[in-house]
Amino acid sequence: MDFGDTPEEAAFRAEAHAFLARHASLREPGEGTVGFLADTDPEVEAAHIAAAKAWQATLYREGWAGVTWPKENGGRGGSVVEALIFAQEEARFDVPPSIFAQGIGMAGPTLIAHGTEAQKARFLPPMLEGTEVWCQLFSEPGAGSDLASLRTAAVRDGDELVVTGQKVWTSSAHFSDWGMLLVRTDPDAPKHRGITFVLVDMRSPGIDVRPIRQINGASHFSEVFLTDVRVPLDQVVGPVDGGWGVAMTTLMSERIGIGSGGTDPLRPLVALVRAAGKQDDPVVRQDLARIHTRLQVITYMGLRVQTALSQGQVPGPESSVLKLAFSTYCAALADFALAVLGPDAMLFDHDAPATHPWQGVLLTQWAVRIGGGTEQVQRNIIGERALGLPREPRPA
């Protein structure tokens, strides 16, 4: 496999770089972005949200939003390789972290695959324009890793569904406009059936969003209570009682998104090692090489999965392998950085001597390791579907 750019890819990279250079400044080597998981000040979070929306509007206006989305759905109609190239170039520039992972990365592909033409026309343009933010209302207090055990109920009343229940660990719910909601419409059906996928306006009467204060002081996640929330039937995606298959498209997109890697931390890690005076320690150097190697492997694993999707294939356990690899990478990255920091690792935020938020990496790793299915769930999927091992005992 040739890992270098083809002439066509090199031309695309140059075009992307030129666009980015017109609208943003290059980051300093090793400089990164903290992201919304670490926002502890509501005013800072609001500023980040406004900046992310403005940047997304620029991408849309200039034709760079939704690189792989079909042109008929407002995207660029490009390849997954082009999307990867654009992400690589964008990471070099000082642009705000995206708040559209649930929308453009999850809700959009789900609607493109399963939505009606009316739903696509209504919801896809505002996603790409950055005017509507989405969240994912899947997990419940008793239905996280075993999502099919969800109990949030929806009863039909004329041309509406009336929804009552609770969701939890919902990212960005407190500033989202719309949500992807899984509800149980047939309580007597087997648990993977009788589930319906609906789109819900987060400003609907009966929705109560309560942010959860996390260990790092931020409130990225929320619990959401739904009491007699009315959802029109034309906001059902796919068939009533047949939402599990629709949800699998969303979850697959989530796992691929989580496992697609991120900014290479090699430069800031090297700076950290040198500041600690450990650059000649052979064990530290070996661990540093492992961190870098793991991220490169994850990058190309992600490309393999995305290539399958672009060719109309449905990835099987590959998306779980990718997600598991990135989860364990995040754990290794946090452990290595804090081991190098030594006693300074006990300090946080403005008290920490290091300029890179390594303590935040440690505290927020659980969002990645749990979200999209825990590591244990991914191992079960890989063992049963890829390796053919005996199934885990299922409760009756």
Side-chain angles (χ1 to χ4, degrees):
M1 181 176 181
D2 184 2
F3 294 111
D5 289 344
T6 65
E8 294 78 14
E9 291 164 357
F12 179 86
R13 187 183 296 277
E15 182 185 0
H17 186 93
F19 157 75
L20 290 162
R22 290 196 300 270
H23 295 279
S25 57
L26 281 167
R27 296 188 193 277
E28 291 296 323
E31 183 183 0
T33 182
V34 175
F36 294 97
L37 284 173
D39 280 337
T40 58
D41 185 332
E43 292 185 2
V44 173
E45 181 184 67
H48 276 175
I49 293 168
K53 287 184 174 182
W55 177 242
Q56 186 62 34
T58 299
L59 293 175
Y60 180 78
R61 185 176 61 252
E62 299 291 333
W64 290 95
V67 173
T68 60
W69 280 29
K71 290 183 178 180
E72 59 267 27
N73 297 126
R76 193 178 177 90
S79 68
V80 292
V81 175
E82 289 175 339
L84 178 63
I85 289 172
F86 185 80
Q88 290 171 345
E89 292 301 312
E90 188 179 38
R92 299 175 59 192
F93 286 82
D94 187 18
V95 300
S98 177
I99 58 173
F100 302 100
Q102 286 84 11
I104 295 174
M106 295 163 61
T110 302
L111 284 172
I112 290 171
H114 302 281
T116 65
E117 292 305 314
Q119 289 170 342
K120 295 176 187 178
R122 163 60 185 86
F123 294 109
L124 295 182
M127 284 184 199
L128 289 183
E129 293 168 4
T131 56
E132 290 181 349
V133 181
W134 284 71
C135 63
Q136 179 192 21
L137 299 160
F138 279 21
S139 295
E140 299 182 6
S145 297
D146 186 15
L147 180 59
S149 296
L150 65 91
R151 297 181 180 179
T152 295
V155 179
R156 183 165 181 170
D157 182 15
D159 59 355
E160 295 179 317
L161 292 175
V162 182
V163 180
T164 298
Q166 179 187 356
K167 300 292 179 176
V168 72
W169 303 119
T170 305
S171 299
S172 309
H174 57 297
F175 60 81
S176 290
D177 302 292
W178 285 86
M180 300 167 280
L181 173 64
L182 284 187
V183 295
R184 187 163 295 285
T185 42
D186 185 351
D188 298 322
K191 71 178 187 178
H192 287 86
R193 303 175 187 173
I195 293 174
T196 300
F197 189 114
V198 301
L199 312 177
V200 61
D201 187 338
M202 293 299 291
R203 294 173 295 272
S204 300
I207 293 183
D208 180 19
V209 178
R210 303 179 188 177
I212 299 171
R213 182 68 63 181
Q214 295 149 222
I215 193 171
N216 64 345
S219 294
H220 176 78
F221 302 100
S222 295
E223 52 183 349
V224 180
F225 295 87
L226 305 103
T227 305
D228 296 330
V229 177
R230 291 187 168 268
V231 180
L233 284 175
D234 62 7
Q235 289 171 203
V236 172
V237 181
V240 173
D241 296 334
W244 186 251
V246 181
M248 288 301 99
T249 299
T250 307
L251 291 173
M252 185 181 302
S253 298
E254 181 181 21
R255 289 167 185 165
I256 293 170
I258 291 175
S260 294
T263 303
D264 192 334
L266 185 62
R267 286 181 180 271
L269 279 177
V270 169
L272 176 67
V273 169
R274 285 175 173 163
K278 300 180 179 179
Q279 63 269 25
D280 295 324
D281 186 320
V283 175
V284 170
R285 293 167 67 92
Q286 186 178 48
D287 288 343
L288 185 62
R290 282 200 187 99
I291 294 291
H292 179 67
T293 301
R294 289 176 75 160
L295 184 57
Q296 301 313 304
V297 171
I298 288 166
T299 299
Y300 290 105
M301 286 173 62
L303 182 59
R304 177 181 177 180
V305 173
Q306 291 169 353
T307 300
L309 289 173
S310 72
Q311 296 173 351
Q313 302 172 18
V314 179
E318 295 95 335
S319 59
S320 291
V321 173
L322 176 61
K323 200 276 182 181
L324 177 62
F326 191 67
S327 294
T328 56
Y329 159 79
C330 288
L333 174 62
D335 289 347
F336 173 75
L338 267 67
V340 172
L341 279 169
D344 287 342
M346 294 185 288
L347 302 176
F348 185 59
D349 204 8
H350 300 297
D351 296 323
T355 57
H356 198 88
W358 296 116
Q359 291 86 344
V361 173
L362 175 77
L363 296 177
T364 59
Q365 65 175 296
W366 305 105
V368 174
R369 298 177 67 183
I370 295 173
T374 65
E375 294 166 22
Q376 291 78 12
V377 168
Q378 306 310 325
R379 287 189 171 96
N380 281 349
I381 293 172
I382 295 166
E384 294 172 7
R385 300 182 188 176
L387 304 178
L389 299 177
R391 292 175 63 87
E392 285 289 307
R394 297 295 195 268

